[in-house]
Amino acid sequence: MSRAETSAPKGREERRDQPHQTVSRRTTFRGTLFGNELLTTFRRWRTLALLAVLAAVPILIGIAVKIETGDGSSAGPGGGGPAFISQISNNALFLVFTALAATLPFFLPMATGVIAGDAIAGESSAGTLRYLLVAPAGRTRLLLTKYATTLTFCLVATLVVAISAFTVGAVLFPLGDLMTISGTRISFTEGLGRALLIALVVAASLIGLAALGLFISTLTTSGIAAMATTVGLLITVQILDQIPQLHALQPYFFSHYWLSFADLMREPVYWDDLVKNLGIQAVYAAVFGSAAWARFTTTDVTA
């Protein structure tokens, strides 16, 4: 048998095997893309610093309330703080509610804006976006992965605040049955369940902002510019939401119903504002998520 005859079947065999190898690599990449994004995001010093700041807020609140109530008095709401603050000295769970109410208007959204704004623009400025797009993942899948990673950060950040608050509260204040805003008493177990539900609602309240930040991230190749713009829009919306003359527009702001999670501590629970909050977050996610997809899939973002 000649050399050509010997090598021909081998060449055909290699060509037959090549598609299978491509499919194998593609399947492996799909299976690890989200995991790799999570590891990359949560290994960054910036992410760890944001989580550390969020964990420190409940500690500072707990210590301040403990000092304030060191003589046995209750921390009154006269200082203009969150409504739950007057009950912290009576039950540690109220520190969880207070910490979430204190961090939701700015600290949690700011951290979300930093992560979302850097999702695409950060990869572009670092020169790694073009290599991600070369891999057989596709732009749509990469964008969805970035968004899912941002939402995961929202959940983790919220749980960090809640767990830190519960830990500090358990050390400094008593645990037990607690009084709802409506004046009814519920068991500690039910209160713990409501605290977890409140944390999930707070995390869900950041869905719209995460989509907005991701859209802004597709508009620029500078991660810092995307982060600054997202946080700047957050501050602007928060200011506009406090102007009485804009009351007709305020229900459409993504932050307008953020503090509606307090209605979960009523008996019975008031669902109206909670549903409106989740609805407006879904609208923002759909609108700006679609805009981000249109921008990312049709524009040469690697140029």
Side-chain angles (χ1 to χ4, degrees), residues 167-210:
T167 303
V168 175
V171 173
L172 299 179
F173 307 107
L175 293 171
D177 296 348
L178 64 158
M179 195 76 67
T180 66
I181 296 177
S182 303
T184 58
R185 183 171 293 275
I186 60 176
S187 66
F188 172 75
T189 302
E190 184 178 353
L192 194 61
R194 294 201 187 192
L196 178 59
L197 182 58
I198 285 175
L200 294 178
V201 170
V202 169
S205 299
L206 302 171
I207 290 176
L209 177 62

Side-chain angles (χ1 to χ4, degrees), residues 16-228:
R16 286 196 301 268
D17 291 341
Q18 187 174 357
H20 298 287
Q21 294 172 358
T22 303
V23 171
S24 177
R25 288 196 301 269
R26 185 172 299 175
T27 303
T28 303
F29 185 85
R30 288 175 181 175
T32 60
L33 180 60
F34 179 59
N36 288 338
E37 280 297 322
L38 286 179
L39 288 176
T40 300
T41 299
F42 285 95
R43 281 178 177 176
R44 289 173 177 160
W45 284 107
R46 178 178 59 232
T47 304
L48 297 177
L50 290 172
L51 294 177
V53 170
L54 291 171
V57 172
I59 299 175
L60 296 177
I61 295 175
I63 293 175
V65 172
K66 185 65 176 179
I67 295 175
E68 179 74 15
T69 59
D71 57 356
S73 61
S74 296
F84 297 120
I85 199 168
S86 61
Q87 298 294 331
I88 293 178
S89 59
N90 299 325
N91 197 297
L93 277 179
F94 280 101
L95 182 57
V96 178
F97 310 142
T98 301
L100 290 173
T103 55
L104 182 55
F106 182 72
F107 290 104
L108 279 170
M110 181 197 69
T112 301
V114 170
I115 299 300
D118 189 59
I120 300 297
E123 298 282 5
S124 183
S125 61
T128 55
L129 183 58
R130 66 183 71 240
Y131 299 108
L132 288 174
L133 296 179
V134 168
R139 295 194 178 199
T140 299
R141 183 171 292 105
L142 178 60
L143 189 68
L144 289 174
T145 301
K146 291 288 187 179
Y147 188 53
T149 302
T150 304
L151 295 184
T152 302
F153 173 82
C154 294
L155 179 60
V156 171
T158 304
L159 291 178
V160 165
V161 174
I163 293 172
S164 175
F166 180 76
T167 303
V168 175
V171 173
L172 299 179
F173 307 107
L175 293 171
D177 296 348
L178 64 158
M179 195 76 67
T180 66
I181 296 177
S182 303
T184 58
R185 183 171 293 275
I186 60 176
S187 66
F188 172 75
T189 302
E190 184 178 353
L192 194 61
R194 294 201 187 192
L196 178 59
L197 182 58
I198 285 175
L200 294 178
V201 170
V202 169
S205 299
L206 302 171
I207 290 176
L209 177 62
L212 175 60
L214 190 65
F215 169 63
I216 294 174
S217 187
T218 63
L219 299 178
T220 177
T221 58
S222 172
I224 296 178
M227 290 185 285

Side-chain angles (χ1 to χ4, degrees), residues 1-16:
M1 184 179 295
S2 66
R3 180 178 302 178
E5 293 174 342
T6 304
S7 60
K10 184 178 181 181
R12 287 195 298 268
E13 182 179 353
E14 288 178 351
R15 286 193 295 270
R16 286 196 301 268

